[in-house]
């Protein structure tokens, strides 16, 4: 290399720098592809806090309320609620959570969900959202079920690691629940019942 002319040496450096840059970009692309091919549920579990997952679940209630209104269905469907409760309790028990202790939280989630739906329906009586359409109800329910499972798994991880939920401060927890038509009373009930959940003995 010492025998190269100045211009040849400069060309060599540019070529070497270009090769290194391409290699670095390639590594970054491979890493990005690896992350993007993870299941969405895995990504959500890794990147979302417990209240963040609960908030995400509640965000679907506008779609649920609108879909039910368009199809002339009631907001409260007791058979569906019983199925959701039974299925979620099974998931919780399988994750090592005491099913009796988590039942009030599951009920609180469903109560908050129904309250949001009722409030949206009341709002639409005065101010209809004519340019907005909900997603199909079956698709929404599938997404909600997936999020319910993620909430259980996240809760189990936190209880096994720390013996408590995170955050365990009501104000900090409630601050992460930001949904239109979710009241402060709803937030308090969610936090209170969640604090009561414990692992199986």
């Amino acid at each position: 290399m010492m025998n190269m002319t100045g211009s040849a040496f400069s060309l060599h450096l540019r070529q070497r720098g270009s090769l290194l840059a391409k290699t670095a970009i390639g590594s970054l692309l491979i890493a990005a592809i690896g992350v993007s091919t993870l299941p969405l549920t895995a990504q959500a579990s890794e990147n979302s806090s417990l209240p963040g997952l609960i908030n995400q679940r509640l965000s679907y209630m506008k779609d649920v309320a609108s879909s039910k209104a368009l199809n002339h269905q009631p907001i409260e469907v007791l058979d569906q609620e019983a199925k959701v409760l039974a299925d979620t309790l099974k998931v919780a028990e399988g994750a090592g959570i005491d099913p009796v202790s988590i039942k009030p939280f599951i009920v609180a989630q469903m109560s908050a969900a129904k309250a949001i739906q009722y409030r949206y329906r009341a709002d639409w009586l005065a101010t209809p959202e004519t340019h907005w359409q909900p997603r199909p109800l079956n698709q929404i329910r599938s997404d909600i079920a997936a999020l319910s499972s993620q909430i259980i798994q996240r809760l189990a991880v936190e209880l096994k690691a720390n013996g408590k939920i995170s955050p365990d401060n009501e104000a900090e927890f409630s601050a992460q629940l930001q949904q239109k038509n979710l009241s402060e009373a709803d937030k308090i009930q969610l936090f209170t019942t969640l604090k009561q959940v414990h692992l199986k003995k």
Side-chain angles (χ1 to χ4, degrees), residues 60-70 73 75 116-118 120-121 124 132 134 137 140:
Y60 285 100
M61 294 311 129
K62 180 180 180 181
D63 286 276
V64 175
S66 181
S67 181
K68 287 180 177 178
L70 289 172
Q73 295 176 340
I75 287 174
I116 291 172
Q117 293 176 57
Y118 279 119
Y120 268 116
R121 293 276 283 268
W124 292 333
W132 180 80
L137 188 56
I140 300 166

Side-chain angles (χ1 to χ4, degrees), residues 96-169:
I97 294 174
D98 178 71
V100 175
S101 73
I102 198 173
K103 183 177 179 180
F105 168 68
I106 299 170
V107 172
Q109 273 198 126
M110 292 193 291
S111 296
K114 287 188 291 185
I116 291 172
Q117 293 176 57
Y118 279 119
R119 290 163 191 154
Y120 268 116
R121 293 276 283 268
D123 290 343
W124 292 333
L125 289 174
T127 313
E129 293 189 44
T130 55
H131 301 294
W132 180 80
Q133 290 292 322
R135 294 183 300 133
L137 188 56
N138 286 341
Q139 181 184 344
I140 300 166
R141 281 178 172 162
S142 176
D143 291 342
I144 290 172
L147 274 167
S148 295
S149 180
Q150 290 176 57
I151 291 168
I152 297 298
Q153 298 301 330
R154 179 76 184 197
L155 177 57
V157 167
E158 293 188 2
L159 290 176
K160 290 172 183 177
N162 307 310
K164 61 181 180 179
I165 63 172
S166 176
D168 63 349
N169 175 275

